[in-house]
Every structure is written in structure tokens, then in C-alpha cells.
Amino acid sequence: MSTVHPAPETDAAKRVLPPKPVAAAIVALSFTLLLYLVELVDVILPGDLDQGGIHSRSLSGLDGVLFAPVLHAGWSHLFANTVPVLLFSFLAMAAGIGRFALVTAVIWVVSGLGVWLIGPADGVTVGASGLAFGWLAYLLVRGLFNRAAGQIVVAVVLLGVWSGMLAGLLPGNPGVSWQGHVFGALAGVLAAWLTTRRSRKAVPAAPGNLEV
């Protein structure tokens, strides 16, 4: 009698859309609403929450790595990040919310540390664009690492629609943290490589069919 083997875990890594789209949409919306709530509090309170962002090469400003992605320099800054944050975070949950949390943690920390290391010393860096660039880079390269045709097609579409974002990787735009964008993108590639490597290690070699 031949045995039936379960689908390999790598199949989950090759999905294009989240397995639980409603839950994924709730997570993406909740995070975006958090950004709006923080900005509203920043407007209402007399203090300046943006000072909690990243102060480059300052030990006292290192904790800004944790807070900078949820802070924004005004409503226009937040509006510009809203659609990328909503869409990219939703698509990045294709392998599950747990995998998304790992990918986001890598992007959050690496992009923030990159800004802290080489960002401008005369200002404070805030904004979720580092996360957006990281998720976009993750979505662009995961299909190559996973050898998944569907994910590669999605990557091509995203690159076509959001190609204008690539200009944010270049220095010279006043008030724009190209450092956060570059390190966010690098972190997204790193996250794609790490999670793909983890998936492959988690899948044991399939045994041959047994006859009894």
C-alpha cells in the first residue's frame, strides 16, 4: 500500500496571497490605523513626538530605531506612506502572519540601524517608508529565492506600478531619508533570503513509497 505524503512546507512559502486574507487585511489596517492614531496624538499634544525618532550616531537617540516607523513628519508624509504600507504589508503575509512578523522585525531593525549609522547628524529621521521599501524589496525577490512563478509575476507588476519609488533610493532629495529606503530595501532582501533558507531546512527529504 502506498503512503500519502503531506504537501511540503515550501508550498506555503510560494503562495501569492495570504492564506487568511481577512485576518491579513485586519493586521494591515490595524497597523495603518496605529500610524494615524500616533500622528493624531502628536498633533494634539503640546510636545513633539517626532523627537523620538532616530538621532544618528547618538546613543541617546538609538531607541528611535524602535519608534521611528510609527512617527511621521506631518499628515502629508503619512498620506504618502499609507497605500504602500497597506498593500505591501498585506501581500507580505502570503506565507502567514508569523512569517510576516519575522520579515517585518528584520526590516524594522536593519533599516533603523542603517539610518542610525549613516543618517544625517543634524536632524531626526521618522516614517514608515523604510518598512514600505523593505516589504517591496521582499516581495520583489522572494519569488526568485522560492522559484515561484506566481510570486515573480506579482513582483513584475509591483515593479511596474511602483517603479517611481526607486528614486527614493538615491540621495539628493531634500527631506527624504534615502538611507532608510536603501537599508529598508537591503533588509527586505535579507529577510527573503533568511525565510527561504529557513523553509528549505524545515522540509525533510521525502521518503520513497512503501509497499506492504
Side-chain angles (χ1 to χ4, degrees):
M1 181 177 65
S2 61
T3 60
V4 178
H5 302 293
E9 291 186 24
T10 48
D11 288 347
K14 294 182 178 182
R15 284 193 294 254
V16 172
L17 296 176
K20 298 179 179 179
V22 174
I26 290 174
V27 171
L29 283 170
S30 297
F31 180 70
T32 305
L33 288 175
L34 173 64
L35 301 183
Y36 275 80
L37 178 61
V38 171
E39 186 60 26
L40 180 61
V41 171
D42 191 23
V43 170
I44 294 174
L45 293 181
D48 185 2
L49 293 183
D50 290 349
Q51 291 304 310
I54 300 173
H55 298 255
S56 300
R57 296 176 296 286
S58 169
L59 289 179
S60 62
L62 187 57
D63 58 354
V65 171
L66 298 177
F67 305 120
V70 299
L71 301 170
H72 287 82
W75 292 110
S76 60
H77 185 201
L78 178 54
F79 294 156
N81 283 334
T82 297
V83 174
V85 165
L86 277 172
L87 179 61
F88 299 160
S89 62
F90 176 79
L91 292 176
M93 284 182 256
I97 294 176
R99 177 68 57 83
F100 168 74
L102 175 59
V103 168
T104 300
V106 171
I107 296 170
W108 195 300
V109 173
V110 172
S111 61
L113 288 177
V115 171
W116 186 82
L117 285 171
I118 68 170
D122 58 348
V124 182
T125 302
V126 296
S129 55
L131 285 178
F133 271 86
W135 287 326
L136 177 59
Y138 169 77
L139 294 169
L140 291 177
V141 303
R142 63 174 180 170
L144 299 177
F145 289 132
N146 290 325
R147 301 184 181 90
Q151 292 180 350
I152 293 174
V153 171
V154 170
V156 172
V157 173
L158 288 175
L159 187 59
V161 175
W162 300 98
S163 58
M165 286 183 62
L166 300 181
L169 299 172
L170 302 175
N173 295 319
V176 176
S177 175
W178 63 268
Q179 297 94 338
H181 299 168
V182 168
F183 277 95
L186 292 175
V189 174
L190 174 63
W193 178 76
L194 288 174
T195 54
T196 302
R197 186 167 175 264
R198 181 182 177 186
S199 294
R200 289 176 180 172
K201 282 188 175 182
V203 180
N209 290 342
L210 301 177
E211 297 289 336
V212 294

